[in-house]
Amino acid sequence: KDENGNVKQNFGFNINSPVGHRYLNVLFTRAKKLVVLVTSLEPNDIIVGPNSNRGVKVFRDYIRYANTGNIDAGEETSGEPDSDFEISVGNFLKELGYQVTYQVGVRGFKIDIGIKHEDYPYGYLAGIECDGATYHSSLNARDRDKVRQDILESFGWNIYRVWSTDWFSQEQEEREKFESWISDLLTNSRRKNIETASAGELTEEINT
């Protein structure tokens, strides 16, 4: 990073070229036993825009995957909240200091709310599913979304389901339970980052 904390977005021809993802594919997949990734970059240091070559996106996503095991980090769709219920949940999250994105796309699915935090540099910390009152009475919908949730979690997502009836009828209890779950996630992430940094410092000390 430069003195202003910015990272120059030039990662060499092999990454920035239109076929950069192919070079990276070879690099990432040819090891037979072990891959060790050593970098000072965080995924959020790599800026991916609509005109970015695929190699840049793959580069960012691989660094995120190495840190989190998250296969698909999700994409913003510029979607709007589907209901006042989602807006209520989103506002609650904003009050807690989280960044909120509605309708996050993941492999053909849409997650109602994706949340980020400045202390979590790997994209979305969790996905929040907001289920309305009619959902409770639909067994088929519940079974279908359980499978859907299992798939999202297999991609590395942390998913929390909020029920509208509980959210409004047991307001204090539900908000405390929700806040505790998110706080634990963030705390565990911070602990992992400290452990990773400590391991890196120890390795550097041993090497020198």
Side-chain angles (χ1 to χ4, degrees):
K1 297 182 179 181
D2 61 21
E3 62 275 8
N4 297 317
N6 299 315
V7 174
K8 187 177 181 181
Q9 301 298 302
N10 182 1
F11 307 109
F13 175 78
N14 284 357
I15 292 177
N16 283 92
S17 75
V19 294
H21 61 287
R22 296 180 181 175
Y23 289 107
L24 290 172
N25 177 60
V26 173
L27 182 66
F28 297 153
T29 62
R30 292 306 184 264
K32 294 182 178 180
K33 294 184 178 180
L34 180 68
V35 173
V36 177
L37 176 62
V38 181
T39 178
S40 61
L41 288 170
E42 297 288 5
N44 290 351
D45 293 331
I46 302 170
I47 300 172
V48 176
N51 298 320
S52 299
N53 284 318
R54 188 177 174 188
V56 177
K57 181 179 184 301
V58 170
F59 185 44
R60 179 202 63 182
D61 290 350
Y62 188 77
I63 294 176
R64 178 185 290 129
Y65 169 73
N67 275 280
T68 67
N70 193 326
I71 296 174
D72 193 317
E75 297 293 338
E76 295 187 16
T77 64
S78 300
E80 298 293 330
D82 283 340
S83 65
D84 291 341
F85 171 37
E86 286 185 17
I87 294 174
S88 175
V89 174
N91 288 339
F92 173 72
L93 290 164
K94 291 176 184 178
E95 290 171 3
L96 295 178
Y98 296 92
Q99 302 168 36
V100 169
T101 303
Y102 295 102
Q103 307 303 320
V104 177
V106 181
R107 301 286 182 97
F109 297 110
K110 290 286 183 64
I111 296 175
D112 293 330
I113 301 174
I115 59 174
K116 297 181 179 181
H117 194 278
E118 60 182 9
D119 290 345
Y120 186 79
Y122 310 119
Y124 292 103
L125 176 65
I128 312 303
E129 296 283 68
C130 301
D131 297 316
T134 56
Y135 186 92
H136 283 278
S137 60
S138 175
L139 182 60
N140 289 337
R142 291 167 65 180
D143 288 344
R144 182 183 65 245
D145 272 15
K146 178 62 172 66
V147 173
R148 177 175 174 275
Q149 180 171 335
D150 289 343
I151 293 172
L152 290 170
E153 289 176 340
S154 75
F155 292 155
W157 277 81
N158 298 299
I159 300 294
Y160 190 92
R161 195 171 291 279
V162 185
W163 303 97
S164 62
T165 49
D166 295 338
W167 186 256
F168 293 114
S169 66
Q170 305 173 44
E171 181 175 349
Q172 187 65 27
E173 179 182 347
E174 287 302 307
R175 282 159 173 71
E176 289 178 356
K177 183 171 65 174
F178 190 19
E179 181 177 359
S180 177
W181 182 84
I182 302 173
S183 178
D184 287 346
L185 265 186
L186 191 58
T187 298
N188 290 335
S189 170
R190 287 168 173 155
R191 184 181 300 116
K192 179 182 176 183
N193 288 343
I194 292 172
E195 292 172 352
T196 300
S198 298
E201 292 170 1
L202 178 59
T203 301
E204 182 177 354
E205 183 178 337
I206 292 172
N207 290 337
T208 54

